[in-house]
Amino acid sequence: MASIFEPTYFIEKIWDIEPDTLKKLGVTAVLADLDNTLVAWNKRDGDERFFEWNEKLKNNNIQLIVVSNNTTSRVRRAVKPLGLPFESWSLKPLPRGILKTLKDFNLSKNEVVMVGDQLMTDIIASNIAGVKSVLVKPLVSSDGIMTKINRGLANKILSKMDVKWEKDLVEPNRD
């Protein structure tokens, strides 16, 4: 059995996840963290990569739903140009935000993936909720104070794992 800290996938950036691969895995919705996953934590708005990737997902009938620990106003501002649904104050590493999103959108656990840049929040919450988890590298190397603490602990845990960063979802080889 995998550790609560172990993501299903290690991907360089969220934009590397191809809609065709998601469809082959039966994924109809991507749940994604906001800060340092879709938008740099220290920027107010998303950039062209975020908009283009969302468009690729939409063109393939895959829904993007933001599940963030941040405030409602922060998340709303970042996703408003795209009209994306979101769950703010999700309380990760608790699975509350993920489970609420599954219920609100009538999604099953096997048709979603949760993507985030933090092992200590996004991946733990995903694993507790029982959904596939995708750890991505953060968009920027700086962090807020609480995230710095989490990331320091996460780096110690990751150093004990066999981490191979991929360019798209590759089924894990776990013995």
Side-chain angles (χ1 to χ4, degrees):
M1 182 176 158
S3 155
I4 194 169
F5 300 109
E6 191 170 357
T8 311
Y9 306 99
F10 293 94
I11 304 295
E12 292 270 341
K13 299 289 182 206
I14 196 167
W15 340 112
D16 293 336
I17 302 171
E18 290 295 331
D20 284 343
T21 307
L22 292 168
K23 287 165 72 172
K24 286 177 189 169
L25 294 171
V27 173
T28 63
V30 174
L31 312 182
D33 177 54
L34 180 67
D35 291 312
N36 260 353
T37 300
L38 292 169
V39 177
W41 75 275
N42 55 357
K43 301 285 185 207
R44 293 171 58 146
D45 302 305
D47 66 15
E48 207 51 40
R49 294 173 302 175
F50 177 19
F51 302 146
E52 289 171 3
W53 190 67
N54 178 61
E55 194 63 28
K56 281 173 65 174
L57 292 177
K58 274 178 35 179
N59 290 341
N60 283 276
N61 298 313
I62 299 171
Q63 185 168 24
L64 178 59
I65 305 168
V66 175
V67 179
S68 174
N69 280 352
N70 217 315
T71 65
T72 302
S73 62
R74 159 70 173 142
V75 180
R76 181 180 291 124
R77 177 182 170 86
V79 303
K80 188 176 183 181
L82 300 174
L84 292 175
F86 64 90
E87 180 67 31
S88 56
W89 297 107
S90 65
L91 304 178
K92 296 174 289 184
L94 298 175
R96 176 197 132 345
I98 294 171
L99 295 175
K100 184 176 184 310
T101 301
L102 293 175
K103 182 179 179 195
D104 290 350
F105 290 88
N106 196 30
L107 296 164
S108 67
K109 292 178 181 183
N110 64 353
E111 67 181 318
V112 302
V113 293
M114 174 66 203
V115 184
D117 70 296
Q118 288 195 60
L119 193 70
M120 305 309 292
T121 56
D122 305 310
I123 302 309
I124 290 174
S126 301
N127 289 339
I128 293 171
V131 302
K132 289 183 180 180
S133 55
V134 181
L135 182 66
V136 294
K137 292 181 179 179
L139 293 177
V140 295
S141 59
S142 65
D143 283 310
I145 187 69
M146 284 307 297
T147 305
K148 282 182 185 179
I149 294 167
N150 281 345
R151 209 167 304 279
L153 182 55
N155 287 338
K156 288 180 182 177
I157 294 167
L158 287 169
S159 72
K160 297 178 185 341
M161 290 184 195
D162 182 24
V163 176
K164 183 172 184 235
W165 295 99
E166 302 287 349
K167 289 290 188 187
D168 195 7
L169 302 180
V170 175
E171 279 302 311
N173 183 11
R174 297 200 172 115
D175 297 323

